[in-house]
């Protein structure tokens, strides 16, 4: 991130409303090392913030398997230069069964790891979205062989949400918390600091 710091600083503890306080209490780092994403986006209109939390939460608790969801989020964070989301999802990916070697592949050359057919198709969907703005017919067919219609839509929304989120966080110049910086430093590759 630029040395100039965030464009909007995270809200200080004295300015947290009840919702933001609850979100931070349940987040990694808690209120001792509050996540900058929430403490900054908490500056948004309260209704927008509430609905964004609900949408993001619905994707994190969706029908896609946790491992597949984290693979897609991590690859999207890499492809759209989202160091903040990359760092925070390294731990979540590990909890979902993503190995260190797979993390390194997600942050660089996908061909250095072995993926299931569904995982490979989902990761191609991320790359095609980054490269062409849409999923190709061939990748769609591979995904449709394995996923229900609702899961196909969820996958596309997952990619789009993290694409949007990475651009918002980069534009706001939201910086990593020290805890997240440690996670990001443990994995080769990934978005640049």
């Amino acid at each position: 991130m630029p040395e100039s710091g965030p464009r909007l600083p995270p809200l200080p503890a004295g300015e947290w409303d009840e919702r933001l306080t609850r979100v931070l209490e349940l987040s990694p780092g808690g209120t001792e090392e509050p996540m900058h994403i929430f403490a900054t986006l908490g500056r948004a209109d309260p209704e927008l913030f509430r609905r964004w939390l609900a949408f993001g939460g619905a994707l994190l608790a969706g029908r896609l398997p946790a491992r597949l969801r984290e693979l897609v989020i991590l690859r999207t964070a890499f492809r759209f230069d989202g160091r903040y989301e990359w760092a925070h999802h390294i731990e979540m990916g590990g909890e979902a069964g993503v190995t260190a070697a797979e993390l390194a592949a997600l942050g660089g050359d996908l061909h250095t790891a072995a993926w299931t057919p569904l995982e490979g198709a989902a990761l191609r969907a991320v790359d095609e979205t980054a490269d062409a703005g849409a999923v190709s017919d061939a990748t769609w067919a591979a995904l449709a062989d394995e996923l229900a219609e609702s899961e196909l839509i969820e996958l596309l929304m997952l990619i789009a949400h993290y694409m949007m989120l990475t651009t918002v966080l980069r534009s706001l110049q939201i910086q990593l918390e020290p805890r997240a910086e440690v996670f990001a430093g443990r994995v080769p590759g990934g978005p640049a600091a």
Side-chain angles (χ1 to χ4, degrees):
M1 279 286 139
E3 290 184 30
S4 62
R7 288 181 169 157
L8 295 175
L11 285 168
E15 295 181 34
W16 299 346
D17 64 14
E18 188 177 317
R19 173 175 289 117
L20 179 56
T21 300
R22 279 195 321 269
V23 167
L24 292 170
E25 287 172 345
L26 298 171
S27 300
T31 57
E32 295 299 312
E33 186 180 274
M35 290 181 67
H36 295 164
I37 184 176
F38 298 127
T40 302
L41 296 184
R43 291 180 174 282
D45 174 82
E47 186 64 11
L48 175 62
F49 184 59
R50 181 186 71 78
R51 289 176 184 254
W52 170 74
L53 286 171
F55 180 67
L59 289 171
L60 290 176
R63 296 180 47 104
L64 294 175
R67 176 181 159 84
L68 182 64
R69 178 193 69 231
E70 292 304 318
L71 292 173
V72 167
I73 291 170
L74 285 159
R75 186 62 176 181
T76 303
F78 171 68
R79 287 303 311 266
F80 290 93
D81 205 23
R83 184 165 172 78
Y84 190 93
E85 288 303 318
W86 170 264
H88 280 282
H89 281 271
I90 288 170
E91 183 177 20
M92 294 171 75
E95 291 170 0
V98 180
T99 68
E102 289 169 334
L103 283 169
L106 290 166
D109 183 0
L110 286 177
H111 301 302
T112 62
W115 310 106
T116 69
L118 174 57
E119 291 169 350
L123 295 170
R124 281 193 308 279
V126 173
D127 285 352
E128 290 169 0
T129 300
D131 294 338
V135 177
S136 71
D137 289 340
T139 299
W140 180 264
L143 290 167
D145 283 345
E146 305 247 6
L147 297 175
E149 289 178 352
S150 63
E151 293 169 324
L152 290 165
I153 292 170
E154 183 180 329
L155 175 68
L156 297 177
M157 287 187 167
L158 184 67
I159 295 167
H161 176 66
Y162 280 88
M163 177 178 75
M164 178 272 302
L165 195 53
T166 61
T167 60
V168 168
L169 299 181
R170 277 195 335 269
S171 291
L172 290 172
Q173 298 178 2
I174 292 179
Q175 299 179 346
L176 283 175
E177 307 81 13
R179 178 182 179 278
E181 193 68 61
V182 169
F183 280 111
R186 290 182 185 159
V187 178

